[in-house]
Amino acid sequence: MKRLRVFGVAGSLLLAAGLVTAGQASAQPQREVLGTNGAPVPELAWGPCAEGQAKGYECAEVEVPLSYRDPDGKTITLALGKLPAKDQENKLGTIFFNPGGPGGSGRFAPELTPELHERFDIVGFDPRGIAASTPLRCFDDPAQGELLAGEFPATPEQTHQRITDTAKGTELCEQNAGELIGHMSTANVARDMDLLRQALGEEQTSYYGISYGSHLGTVYANLFPDKVGAVAIDAVLDPVEWTTGERPGDRFTPFSYRLGSHDGAQRSLETFLDACQADERCAFREPGRDLGEKYDAILETLREGPLEIAPPDKPEPFEVTYQMAVSSTMGALYDAANSSSLAEFLQALDDASDPGLSTRSAPVAELPPSAPTPGYQDGATYMGPEQGAGVFCADTDNPGNPWAWPVHARKADREAPGFGSQWTWLSLPCASWPASDPDRYAGPWDKQTANPVLVVGNSLGDPATPYDDAVSTSKRLGDARLLSLESFGHGARGNSECIDSALDAYFIDGALPEEGTVCQPDRAPFDPVS
């Protein structure tokens, strides 16, 4: 089941082949590091949220500088939400929250844990350019977002179309986005968060961020190390791989390839398949057969054409394409609790690939949710794919030639079939993105923080942020402690009493788990979900 890792071609070969441009291949020179640069502290006026929004929250809007190089100049608006502490008399402070993405709305934060909801106000905000904050918007018609967010290609014809569509999408961004597109980096979001800290009257920042939110926490910790209170990052992105890569040649590879997310997805799949083979409740189980080979055979069949399955309680079957199967499998791997439904889906595809199926009805199974991708209209709030791209293209070094993407997608697919393409093609807009942010932050990452950062990861696989990134980031940071969950999925919080208790102790008492702590999940993958 294990596959050999195949490492990328040196960046110099891509340059010689014309796969990058000199401007985009070179790291931008690091200018002096900005803080909030004397920007005026906004006044917060909490009030009821709009009708139909989350109950139990208070909402506010504030103005922050478009550019912290001009702190008294043009401003943009941030939309905030607050989940008030249940025990206001004994409240300990505020915890900021970011849900990931980039491009995800963070206004309505979860309670994190019951104990944290009891003792802290939990404040989320839509980052600059996203959702209900002043939005980055490239398209008059939301349907045009498909130019940037179409499914990954699997044939030469689809590859050409994907590259053509993306170029049209970034051209529209150049025409329509305005000044905001040049100020979307995570560093500017971190500056916004520190301005919000000041507005709330907090001496230091307490923060929980997951996925891309982990990178916001890492950037904040290095831009404002003396303001770090309790900063916990879960499902962690390695900040070097995200921004520049370890070696000079790494900037010639798409950042979504060098992150190795496809390896995390493959590791998660292998963990799922091992658990399946060991559990009689798994519908995909087949004693005596390598389940990795069984899964790969399904993908090979789907490359030749779609398969039909039928959803429960619906008369008409539907077609599952290769891309749908890959995306749905990866989406299910985001949570180990999806294991039973994923097994039923994969077994239905295996049954559908049987040549004798024509004499029987289509196999029955639900289509698991696809891997999350920002880009939709939510009532009056626009969330388009350009908003996520505006952040990751501002943060990261990438090739300037779009034909570098199919090269690296093929390499990644040799390590992680299907997942390699799914992740690699995500960053294609960066090949022709029409702006950069001169105030992005690309290191150093080892600033000594006022308090240690808590780094959390799933040791048996994360389909979006490999566990190796949690390990490496815990070593890169100036002062950090690694906490592991022996499970797979995207994020550990909420899946283990051990993890949640460690978060409670960290935020409430400033106590770190013992070095090398590995928590166990509360449930096995195929246990019933309550």
Side-chain angles (χ1 to χ4, degrees):
M1 188 179 296
K2 303 292 183 186
R3 291 180 171 84
L4 294 175
R5 292 176 59 88
V6 182
F7 294 96
V9 177
S12 58
L13 294 181
L14 293 177
L15 182 60
L19 292 176
V20 297
T21 63
Q24 288 190 268
S26 300
Q28 297 172 2
Q30 186 70 36
R31 301 170 71 174
E32 69 270 23
V33 175
L34 282 176
T36 55
N37 200 22
V41 178
E43 291 187 10
L44 276 168
W46 296 105
C49 299
E51 186 176 352
Q53 293 182 333
K55 294 182 179 180
Y57 290 78
E58 298 173 10
C59 288
E61 288 188 348
V62 298
E63 290 188 351
V64 298
L66 174 67
S67 169
Y68 282 91
R69 293 196 173 275
D70 185 12
D72 296 310
K74 294 181 180 179
T75 62
I76 55 174
T77 299
L78 301 182
L80 288 73
K82 177 173 69 173
L83 181 63
K86 286 185 174 180
D87 186 355
Q88 286 290 315
E89 289 186 4
N90 297 294
K91 185 177 71 174
L92 296 175
T94 299
I95 299 174
F96 287 102
F97 167 79
N98 182 278
S105 172
R107 261 188 307 166
F108 301 115
E111 67 173 20
L112 299 181
T113 73
E115 288 76 11
L116 296 181
H117 180 24
E118 187 79 18
R119 302 297 301 277
F120 291 89
D121 290 340
I122 303 174
V123 171
F125 62 99
D126 288 347
R128 56 172 51 215
I130 291 165
S133 294
T134 300
L136 179 68
R137 190 156 191 171
C138 295
F139 312 115
D140 296 327
D141 179 356
Q144 291 177 307
E146 284 298 312
L147 293 170
L148 296 183
E151 65 184 10
F152 69 89
T155 67
E157 294 78 14
Q158 291 171 357
T159 295
H160 186 272
Q161 191 63 53
R162 178 80 256 131
I163 289 173
T164 300
D165 287 348
T166 300
K168 291 178 181 176
T170 57
E171 183 178 359
L172 287 171
C173 285
E174 184 173 19
Q175 295 171 7
N176 301 328
E179 292 181 275
L180 179 57
I181 197 171
H183 302 279
M184 289 281 290
S185 68
T186 300
N188 277 326
V189 181
R191 295 176 184 112
D192 293 340
M193 190 161 70
D194 197 68
L195 207 58
L196 295 176
R197 172 194 65 78
Q198 297 173 54
L200 287 165
E202 298 284 353
E203 297 262 336
Q204 293 180 321
T205 294
S206 290
Y207 171 80
Y208 172 87
I210 183 171
S211 194
Y212 162 75
S214 73
H215 187 61
L216 175 56
T218 300
V219 170
Y220 184 89
N222 285 279
L223 279 179
F224 302 98
D226 59 324
K227 301 303 180 185
V228 170
V231 170
I233 53 177
D234 189 358
V236 177
L237 290 162
D238 183 294
V240 173
E241 299 294 8
W242 177 269
T243 52
T244 61
E246 292 277 7
R247 299 165 294 276
D250 286 345
R251 69 187 62 155
F252 298 90
T253 63
F255 90 90
S256 56
Y257 170 84
R258 66 175 178 255
L259 276 175
S261 296
H262 53 281
D263 287 333
Q266 187 66 27
R267 172 65 172 140
S268 300
L269 174 66
E270 291 168 357
T271 301
F272 159 78
L273 294 175
D274 288 344
C276 175
Q277 194 67 287
D279 196 317
E280 293 182 352
R281 297 172 294 181
C282 177
F284 196 58
R285 181 173 181 262
E286 190 170 338
R289 185 176 181 187
D290 186 304
L291 295 188
E293 293 179 358
K294 183 178 179 181
Y295 174 80
D296 288 346
I298 293 171
L299 293 189
E300 285 299 324
T301 300
L302 284 165
R303 286 190 185 98
E304 297 173 5
L307 295 170
E308 281 194 348
I309 65 174
D313 304 323
K314 294 182 181 178
E316 292 298 323
F318 65 93
E319 289 188 338
V320 177
T321 65
Y322 173 71
Q323 290 97 328
M324 288 170 62
V326 169
S327 183
S328 293
T329 299
M330 193 167 80
L333 292 170
Y334 270 55
D335 189 342
N338 295 327
S339 293
S340 292
S341 60
L342 174 59
E344 291 166 4
F345 170 66
L346 294 178
Q347 187 57 47
L349 290 178
D350 185 63
D351 291 342
S353 65
D354 183 347
L357 179 67
S358 58
T359 61
R360 307 194 307 270
S361 59
V364 175
E366 293 278 7
L367 183 70
S370 297
T373 53
Y376 58 90
Q377 186 88 24
D378 179 16
T381 302
Y382 174 74
M383 295 181 67
E386 69 268 38
Q387 296 178 358
V391 179
F392 60 66
C393 292
D395 278 354
T396 64
D397 287 346
N398 293 279
N401 188 316
W403 291 99
W405 270 258
V407 173
H408 288 89
R410 287 192 293 271
K411 292 178 183 296
D413 273 343
R414 289 199 286 270
E415 302 171 23
F419 300 142
S421 284
Q422 173 96 21
W423 279 115
T424 299
W425 283 99
L426 174 73
S427 60
L428 179 63
C430 300
S432 53
W433 197 248
S436 60
D437 188 336
D439 295 320
R440 76 165 188 171
Y441 186 80
W445 302 104
D446 59 354
K447 300 286 186 67
Q448 187 65 38
T449 49
N451 292 287
V453 175
L454 182 61
V455 180
V456 187
N458 290 336
S459 64
L460 299 186
D462 185 312
T465 55
Y467 176 68
D468 287 351
D469 282 16
V471 175
S472 61
T473 302
S474 70
K475 295 175 180 177
R476 293 189 194 282
L477 291 169
D479 188 2
R481 178 65 51 84
L482 177 65
L483 174 65
S484 302
L485 177 63
E486 193 173 12
S487 185
F488 69 94
H490 191 47
R493 181 188 61 83
N495 293 304
S496 166
E497 182 180 351
C498 171
I499 292 288
D500 290 357
S501 295
L503 289 171
D504 291 342
Y506 176 63
F507 282 106
I508 294 171
D509 301 316
L512 289 170
E514 292 293 326
E515 192 88 45
T517 296
V518 179
C519 291
Q520 296 301 312
D522 291 343
R523 58 183 300 282
F526 293 94
D527 286 348
V529 179
S530 60

